[in-house]
Amino acid sequence: MRTHFCGLVDERLIGETVTLCGWVNSARVQSHQTFIDLRDHEGVVQVLVESDQPELFKAAAELGNEDAVRVTGTVRARYAANDKIRTGRVEIIPTSIEVLNKADPLPFHAHENAGEDIRLKYRYLDMRRPEMQQMMRTRIKLVAALRRHLDERGFQDIETPILTKATPEGARDFLVPARMHPGEFYALPQSPQLFKQILMMAGFDRYYQIARCFRDEALRADRQLEFTQLDMEFAWVSERDVQDMVEAMIRSVFAEVINVELDAEFPRMTYAEAMRRFGSDKPDLRIDLEFTDVAELVKNCEFKVFTDWANHADGRVIALRAPGGAQLSRKQIDELGAHAAKYGAKGVAWMKVEDATKGREGINSPIAKFLDDATLDAILRATGANTGDAIFFGAATYKTASDFMGALRLKLGKDLGLVQDGWKPLWVTDFPMFEWDEEEQRYVALHHPFTAPKIDDEADLRANAGTAVSRGYDMVLNGNEIGGGSIRIHRSSMQSAVFDLLGITREEAELKFGFLLEALRYGAPPHGGIAFGIDRIAALMAGTESIRDVIPFPKTTSAQCLMTGAPSPIPDAQLAEVHVSVRPREARAE
């Protein structure tokens, strides 16, 4: 149907006859000439129709944007070159123009800044845009590069089940009724976690899979109900073995796909250090702002919020210097406080250093009156604040203060233009094994319940669960967790101890995980792995903040597909086949 792609026609084809298929990107009709930009997935080429070809000239004048056409013609050099595009030195003089499919009036045009809802409803039009084509191609190249790298190193691509068993912990499962087993359900996998561990027990040694995963949870810019991850597992390994192998892989694919050279060795930072310095377990190191703990400086001051938390066993008082922050208006400061409130802040105190040489007189702050001169001076020295800077303070429990000041740090970095160019990868290691859930009055796993603790004795783990550290690790890039993994538990007795600490009874553990506990008893090797978020990495590579831009058919934040209308009601007859009945909305509301 065609001999060449539009975007690949160049000077080597001058004088040759070509047949091209594509969409009309634009048609500019003049008195004696019509210029058609013809586009396919490789790019755009100009078609020039002269008025001395009356039938073609008339046909060209009637073309509309996004008409699907086939053009046959001769390639010639353009009189006025356009070096901004690959085909800018040539044009096509047509001998025939065939409209293959006339487009209806468009709901939006490619050059318009259309809202996301309309883009998602007409996703097929949205993805024709060169920007979207480029982002999708970045994703395609990423997946190909990952596969190539792993295949060349002896990793085995093994598929695991999509219809599997519902398990506790983590996000909510998507459930699928089992028609042949009335009243029973499959679950769609949140990850291939247990299957890939069992593959290590089965002797496959190095596994990978580009896996589709599903989590029934709230959506946001970096989260979807269904997503794609690179899942990997290794037998007979330590943490460093896994980290070194996958670090080399990430360096390789970034160089291949977007020509970026990442650090020769990624720095490593413990979870405790990351929270202490940055208030985040995925710190963005492009922002050169760090916390200063000032509890000792303010524990005896007259500002009650500070003194209460400075003297609390689990309290923290943080100061964060913002270079150039004195320029911020009161409205901007209030907006920063509102942002921090989303992460648990009940208030954020602030101090502008308008003239560091004048002491108290050079300070603009609603809390300065509660601090004596010595305390003010100590805070300035501890934070390194100078004229023109601002200092923001957070006081609460250690975790809450760290969380909301970490969020404030990121927003300040963006608002003040402090985010450096480039790429800053790192490993975050030594995560807490458990977190205490006040609401449920039990421990929950910080990663997942199959992560091995650094404590290798079950009795010691039970006695020190609150302070136990796991063998988990995350790869972070520019403030995004792009991969997370751990060394796994490989002894049945330790796995049972962890289930017990998580409040999973023996009966429940046997019901949900009996097959795993049994497999661990037959010489399971030490093993570990990691999973990388393909969507997140592709979004970073493509330079977009939303993973929806690199997913062909994403859901909205309300978990809908606007193009197909999913989710949608199912007829009663079809529900009856799978032994399911749906309660009326009124009953569900009650």
Side-chain angles (χ1 to χ4, degrees):
M1 195 168 191
R2 62 184 172 191
T3 61
H4 297 79
F5 293 112
C6 299
L8 300 183
V9 177
D10 58 23
E11 292 167 289
R12 292 171 296 180
L13 295 173
I14 288 176
E16 294 190 22
T17 298
V18 297
T19 298
L20 311 174
C21 293
W23 290 279
V24 175
N25 198 60
S26 66
R28 304 180 302 281
V29 180
Q30 299 178 1
S31 57
H32 299 291
Q33 295 176 318
T34 294
F35 296 91
I36 303 164
D37 286 342
L38 191 63
R39 185 194 75 246
D40 63 13
H41 76 284
E42 290 288 358
V44 174
V45 68
Q46 179 172 285
V47 178
L48 174 60
V49 187
E50 303 276 7
S51 57
D52 60 2
Q53 300 172 288
E55 290 187 11
L56 287 178
F57 191 73
K58 182 177 181 296
E62 294 173 352
L63 293 176
N65 287 348
E66 299 305 311
D67 286 351
V69 302
R70 178 166 60 181
V71 173
T72 297
T74 303
V75 182
R76 80 173 188 187
R78 279 175 67 163
Y79 294 119
N82 177 5
D83 291 328
K84 293 181 180 179
I85 58 175
R86 179 173 180 173
T87 63
R89 293 184 174 274
V90 296
E91 59 191 3
I92 310 299
I93 306 301
T95 55
S96 72
I97 298 175
E98 179 185 358
V99 178
L100 303 174
N101 198 355
K102 186 75 178 171
D104 286 347
L106 300 172
F108 70 95
H109 293 279
H111 62 274
E112 291 178 349
N113 186 22
E116 187 174 49
D117 281 0
I118 196 167
R119 288 176 51 208
L120 292 180
K121 179 174 175 59
Y122 299 97
R123 190 62 163 176
Y124 39 87
L125 296 179
D126 185 40
M127 287 196 292
R128 287 183 194 174
R129 298 187 300 121
E131 299 93 326
M132 288 297 295
Q133 287 274 319
Q134 183 58 43
M135 285 193 279
M136 293 297 171
R137 285 189 175 208
T138 298
R139 181 193 180 101
I140 292 164
K141 288 171 64 178
L142 167 63
V143 171
L146 288 168
R147 286 191 183 281
R148 187 160 46 250
H149 182 94
L150 295 171
D151 289 343
E152 290 171 355
R153 286 157 180 80
F155 285 82
Q156 299 168 91
D157 182 0
I158 305 174
E159 293 178 342
T160 55
I162 291 295
L163 296 176
T164 183
K165 189 180 184 74
T167 56
E169 303 297 322
R172 192 177 289 111
D173 287 324
F174 277 102
L175 302 178
V176 180
R179 181 182 59 81
M180 293 183 288
H181 300 274
E184 297 183 356
F185 295 80
Y186 301 103
L188 302 183
Q190 296 186 34
S191 83
Q193 182 63 45
L194 297 183
F195 289 105
K196 67 180 184 177
Q197 287 188 238
I198 288 172
L199 285 169
M200 297 305 99
M201 302 170 201
F204 285 95
D205 204 88
R206 289 186 178 187
Y207 144 96
Y208 86 93
Q209 181 182 186
I210 307 293
R212 293 293 283 174
C213 302
F214 308 85
R215 292 179 186 172
D216 188 1
E217 59 185 356
L219 278 69
R220 58 192 189 204
D222 66 345
R223 185 173 291 172
Q224 285 277 301
L225 299 178
E226 52 182 313
F227 55 95
T228 306
Q229 64 186 36
L230 166 63
D231 235 273
M232 305 174 69
E233 199 76 5
F234 313 73
W236 317 105
V237 288
S238 67
E239 292 93 324
R240 192 68 189 231
D241 294 327
V242 176
Q243 292 165 13
D244 287 348
M245 280 189 274
V246 299
E247 187 178 308
M249 175 189 73
I250 291 298
R251 276 196 300 271
S252 172
V253 298
F254 266 77
E256 179 178 341
V257 177
I258 59 171
N259 197 30
V260 164
E261 298 292 333
L262 297 177
D263 293 346
E265 183 174 349
F266 296 178
R268 282 165 171 76
M269 183 181 301
T270 65
Y271 170 90
E273 181 184 356
M275 296 303 292
R276 176 176 57 81
R277 294 172 61 188
F278 307 109
S280 173
D281 59 2
K282 49 178 187 289
D284 190 342
L285 299 186
R286 297 173 302 164
I287 301 172
D288 191 20
L289 300 178
E290 291 196 29
F291 294 166
T292 302
D293 283 291
V294 294
E296 286 298 317
L297 303 181
V298 300
K299 64 191 306 181
N300 297 314
C301 74
E302 296 181 13
F303 190 45
K304 190 173 185 302
V305 174
F306 283 1
T307 55
D308 283 353
W309 289 110
N311 291 285
H312 191 285
D314 188 37
R316 188 177 193 190
V317 184
I318 297 169
L320 179 63
R321 168 182 166 260
Q327 65 179 305
L328 294 169
S329 67
R330 184 56 188 266
K331 180 183 177 184
Q332 289 173 304
I333 290 175
D334 289 344
E335 288 172 352
L336 289 167
H339 181 73
K342 298 175 185 176
Y343 299 85
K346 293 184 178 178
V348 175
W350 55 273
M351 183 182 293
K352 291 184 179 181
V353 185
E354 295 178 342
D355 190 338
T357 66
K358 292 184 178 180
R360 177 180 296 277
E361 298 304 314
I363 300 294
N364 176 4
S365 171
I367 66 166
K369 60 187 176 184
F370 300 110
L371 308 174
D372 60 32
D373 290 348
T375 302
L376 279 173
D377 184 59
I379 289 171
L380 293 179
R381 282 188 283 107
T383 59
N386 295 308
T387 299
D389 294 344
I391 306 172
F392 292 88
F393 300 89
T397 63
Y398 192 95
K399 185 177 188 313
T400 300
S402 302
D403 286 346
F404 73 71
M405 289 298 287
L408 187 71
R409 172 182 175 269
L410 293 178
K411 183 164 176 57
L412 275 170
K414 293 176 182 176
D415 290 355
L416 295 175
L418 302 176
V419 183
Q420 302 167 14
D421 292 333
W423 301 87
K424 293 286 186 179
L426 80 152
W427 285 104
V428 178
T429 66
D430 296 357
F431 286 82
M433 186 73 183
F434 306 108
E435 282 185 315
W436 181 254
D437 189 314
E438 285 290 345
E439 191 173 313
E440 296 192 19
Q441 287 293 295
R442 70 177 183 92
Y443 285 116
V444 295
L446 195 70
H447 268 75
H448 55 60
F450 318 108
T451 297
K454 286 206 164 183
I455 296 173
D456 199 36
D457 180 84
E458 291 100 57
D460 281 354
L461 179 64
R462 292 176 188 275
N464 299 285
T467 57
V469 172
S470 80
R471 299 178 71 181
Y473 38 80
D474 284 355
M475 184 183 287
V476 177
L477 182 61
N478 290 4
N480 298 271
E481 178 211 328
I482 61 170
S486 67
I487 298 301
R488 323 301 188 188
I489 296 168
H490 70 280
R491 294 200 313 269
S492 185
S493 58
M494 177 62 81
Q495 186 65 75
S496 292
V498 169
F499 285 157
D500 189 32
L501 285 165
L502 293 171
I504 301 173
T505 66
R506 290 189 179 184
E507 293 75 15
E508 186 182 9
E510 189 61 35
L511 178 66
K512 301 288 188 181
F513 304 110
F515 65 97
L516 173 68
L517 293 170
E518 184 174 25
L520 291 171
R521 289 196 288 267
Y522 293 106
H527 59 284
I530 194 167
F532 287 94
I534 296 291
D535 310 310
R536 289 185 186 178
I537 297 174
L540 284 169
M541 286 180 162
T544 178
E545 293 187 358
S546 174
I547 62 170
R548 289 192 290 273
D549 287 335
V550 293
I551 297 174
F553 304 105
K555 305 293 188 291
T556 65
T557 52
S558 59
Q560 294 175 297
C561 174
L562 298 182
M563 186 183 75
T564 65
S568 59
I570 299 295
D572 289 343
Q574 190 175 350
L575 289 174
E577 289 180 348
V578 292
H579 318 287
V580 169
S581 63
V582 178
R583 286 185 296 163
R585 288 182 182 272
E586 297 77 14
R588 293 203 298 271
E590 291 172 5

